[in-house]
Amino acid sequence: MISSDSDPRIFDHDEDGNPAFTVQFSSTLASGKMYYVHRFGHSLSGKVVSNGKIEGNVEWTDEQYAHLQTPNVSLRCTKTTVTETARSVFQLVKVDDSMDCATLLEKADEIFDIVDPNSDVPHNKYEE
C-alpha cells in the first residue's frame, strides 16, 4: 500500500490537478476535499462440500491513504480495515448453463443453503 506521497503509483486519477482521487468528505468532526488512495482486496478460501458446491470464508482488506496535500490536516491519515473472516462467508454452487438470472433469483432458497453468520435469525429451511 502507498505509504509515502512520493510513491510513483500516485497520480492525478481524475485529472483535476490534485494528486490521487479527489473526494469531498463531510462529517461532524471535519470536512473538505481529500486526495485519496484506496486499495481493496479479498481472498477466498474454502472447500468442496459436495458435488458442485464450495463453501468458505472471505478475507477482505480495505486500505486507505490520504495524501499529505489534502487541505484539511484532520483528514490526513492512513487506515487499514480487515474483516472478521469467520463472519464473512460464501457459497459457490454449480447451476445448469441454461439458467438465467431471473430463474436463479426465483430458486435461490433452493439452490443456496448457507447460514448467515452475522445473525441469530434462521434464514432458510435448513435451520430450525
Side-chain angles (χ1 to χ4, degrees), residues 24-42:
Q24 185 68 37
F25 184 82
S26 181
S27 78
T28 56
L29 300 175
S31 61
K33 289 183 178 180
M34 180 188 301
Y35 308 140
Y36 185 70
V37 177
H38 185 218
R39 181 170 70 175
F40 182 74
H42 69 278

Side-chain angles (χ1 to χ4, degrees), residues 12 32 37 42 52 55 58 64 67 106 119 121:
D12 184 3
V37 177
H42 69 278
E55 293 180 353
V58 185
Q64 302 163 8
H67 195 279
E106 180 183 307
S119 173
V121 178

Side-chain angles (χ1 to χ4, degrees), residues 40-88:
F40 182 74
H42 69 278
S43 90
L44 304 173
S45 60
K47 61 183 177 180
V48 176
V49 295
S50 65
N51 188 25
K53 184 185 291 184
I54 299 171
E55 293 180 353
N57 298 92
V58 185
E59 182 177 342
W60 303 95
T61 304
D62 186 1
E63 299 171 285
Q64 302 163 8
Y65 173 80
H67 195 279
L68 290 179
Q69 287 185 23
T70 295
N72 187 330
V73 175
S74 63
L75 295 176
R76 297 178 195 163
C77 63
T78 300
K79 178 183 143 197
T80 300
T81 304
V82 179
T83 59
E84 187 176 341
T85 304
R87 296 176 76 72
S88 186

Side-chain angles (χ1 to χ4, degrees), residues 46-56 90-95 108-115 124-126:
K47 61 183 177 180
V48 176
V49 295
S50 65
N51 188 25
K53 184 185 291 184
I54 299 171
E55 293 180 353
F90 75 91
Q91 186 176 75
L92 298 175
V93 178
K94 173 69 175 137
V95 297
D109 287 341
E110 299 170 31
I111 296 170
F112 300 103
D113 61 1
I114 200 157
V115 176
N124 61 48
K125 63 184 178 184
Y126 301 102

